[in-house]
Amino acid sequence: MEDHAQSFLLHDGALLFGVALLFVLVFRRLGLGATLGYLMTGAVLGPYALRLVGDAESKLGIAELGITLLLFIVGLELAPHRLWRMRHEIFGLGLLQVVLCGLAITGVIYAFTGFTLVAALALGLPLGLSSTAQVLPMLQSAGRLHTPFGERAFAILLFQDLSIIPLITIIAAMSRNPAAAAGPPGWQLALYTVVAIGGLIAAGRFVIRPLFRLIGNLGEREMFVFAGLFTVIISAAAMEMLGLSTALGAFIAGVMLADSPYRHELEADVEPFRTILLGLFFMSVGMMLDLNAIAQRPVYVLSMALALIVTKAVVIFGIGKLFRMDWRGALALGLLLSQGGEFGFVLFAQAQEALLISPLAGSVFTAVVTLSMVSTPFLMMATRRMREAPPSKEKRDEPRIDGSNALVVGYGRFGQTVAQMLIAADIPVTLIDTDVEMIDVADGFGAKVYFGDGTRIDLLRQAGAAEAELIAFCIDGDQITEEFLHAVHTAFPNAEIVVRAFDRRTMLKLKDAPVRKVVREVMESAVVMGRSALSALDVSMQDIDRAEAAYRTRDKERLKAQYQSGDLKAARDRIFTQPARDRH
C-alpha cells in the first residue's frame, strides 16, 4: 500500500512539474508570467480535463504553505519602522478597499442574480479580497514591491489578510447551521488575534533571534534552512490552532526578524521552498477549476467573472484617486487587484457549512475566482502602454525605497574602512559578514551588518545586488576566485566590482576577472610605513617622494610582466636589491 502511494505521488509529481515547466516557459516567453502557466497546468491535468492527476484538495493543503512562506519573506522586507510608516495606507486604503469592494460586489450579485441578500453577502464579501499569492510575485518580478505603488498594493493585501477574522465572524453570525453556534464568538477571535500577535513578537525577540545567533556562531548553513522553515511553520501552526490566518502569523514572524542581522540569509534559504510550493498552490487551484460548471453555465460564469473584474477595478481606481494617485497608477492598482483571492475558497467553504450557499454555488464562484486570476496577466499586458508614464515622470514618481547603491562583503578592518568612505560620501551601503561576534560589536557602534555568506549568488541577490551600482568584496584570505567573479558579473551586470586581494598570487589568479579594480590589502599601508621609516631616518621629503615613485614604477612594471607571463618570478630584475657587503 505504501509503495503504491509513493508510486502515485511520484507519478503526479512528475506530470505536474514536467508539464508546468513547459507551460511556464511558454507563458514567460509570451510575457504572461509564471502564475498563468501553473494554473493552466492544473486545469489541463486535473479531474475536469485529462484526469491524469487528482486529489487537488490535499495538494492545496500542502501548497498553502507556499503562501505562508511568501508572507514570511515579505515580512522580512518590512522592518517595524517601515510598517509603522505605512499605517495610513494599511488602515485607510486597505479598509476602504475591503469594505467598498465587498459591498459593491454584493450589490451586483443581489441585483442581477437570484441570491438572497444573506447569500449575496456570503459571496460578495470574500470576492472583495484579492490574490496575495498572485499579486506579490508579480510586483517582485517587476521590481515594484518597494516603490510607492508597490507599497500601496501591499498595504491593501495586508489589510485583506487582517480582515479574514471579521469576515469569518460575519459569516458565522449569519449561519443557518445550528452546529456553527459552537464556534468561538467574534470578540474572542479578535482577542486571540491580539494575544497571538503579541506572543509572536515576544517569541521573535527573546527566542528566535538568540536561536539564529547561536546557529550563526556554529556556521552551519543547513541549520539556518531548518530554523527558518521551523520559524515559519511554528508561527503558522500557532495561528491555525487559534483559528486565525496562518499567513498573518508568518508575516508577523518575518517583520520581527526584518531588522535582525539574519534577514538576507533567511530570505535566500527560504526562497526556493516558497517558489516550489507557490507553484504547486496555483497548480492545485487550476485542478479545482470546475470545467463542468463552466460548460453548463458558460455565459453566467464568464459574466460574473467580468462583473467581478470590472467592479473591483472601478472601485479601486476611485479609491486610488481619492488617495491622490495619478490616473495611471490608480488604473494599474485597480487592474492588479481586480481578481478574486485564495481566501475566497476558504470563505466559500465556510459559507457552505453555514448553509448560506449551495455546493453548486460554491463551485461556480470558485470557477469565477479562478478565471479572474487567469485574466490578470492578460489585463496587465494589454494595458501596459496605456499605464506607462513618460520616462521622466516614472523616474520621479517611482523611486525605490530603502535601496542601496553599494554592497560591502566582509566587514573586518579592511571592509570597515571601505564602508566608512562610502558612507562619508553619502552612498547607501549594505554590509554583509559571517562573523556573529563582529556583527554584535558593530551593532554597538551603530553599524547595521547582516549575517550571510557573501560568496553565494542567491544571498547577494536577496541583499540587493541586482540594484546595486557597486559590489566590494573585502573578504580576508584567498576566497574569491575568477570563476566566482565571472558568475557575479553575469548575474549583476550593472554593478561595478572591486576586490581585496591577499597578495600578488591572488592578483595573478584574478587577472582576467571582470572587475573594476583588484587592490592588494597591505600595499598602501606598507608604503605609508616605508615613508615614515625614511622620515625617521631624517631623509628629506624630496628623496622620500623619489623613493616612493621609483618603487611604484618598478612594482607596476613587475606586475605587468607577471600578468603577461603568468610567472610569479618574472621581472625579478625590477626588485630593489642591496649591494653585497664585505662581512670582514
Side-chain angles (χ1 to χ4, degrees), residues 123 170 308:
L123 291 168
I170 291 170
L308 169 65

Side-chain angles (χ1 to χ4, degrees), residues 264-285:
H264 295 307
E265 180 76 21
L266 284 167
E267 284 181 304
D269 290 339
V270 171
E271 176 69 21
F273 297 95
R274 191 274 302 179
T275 303
I276 294 170
L277 289 170
L278 208 55
L280 183 58
F281 170 81
F282 283 114
M283 285 187 272
S284 302
V285 170

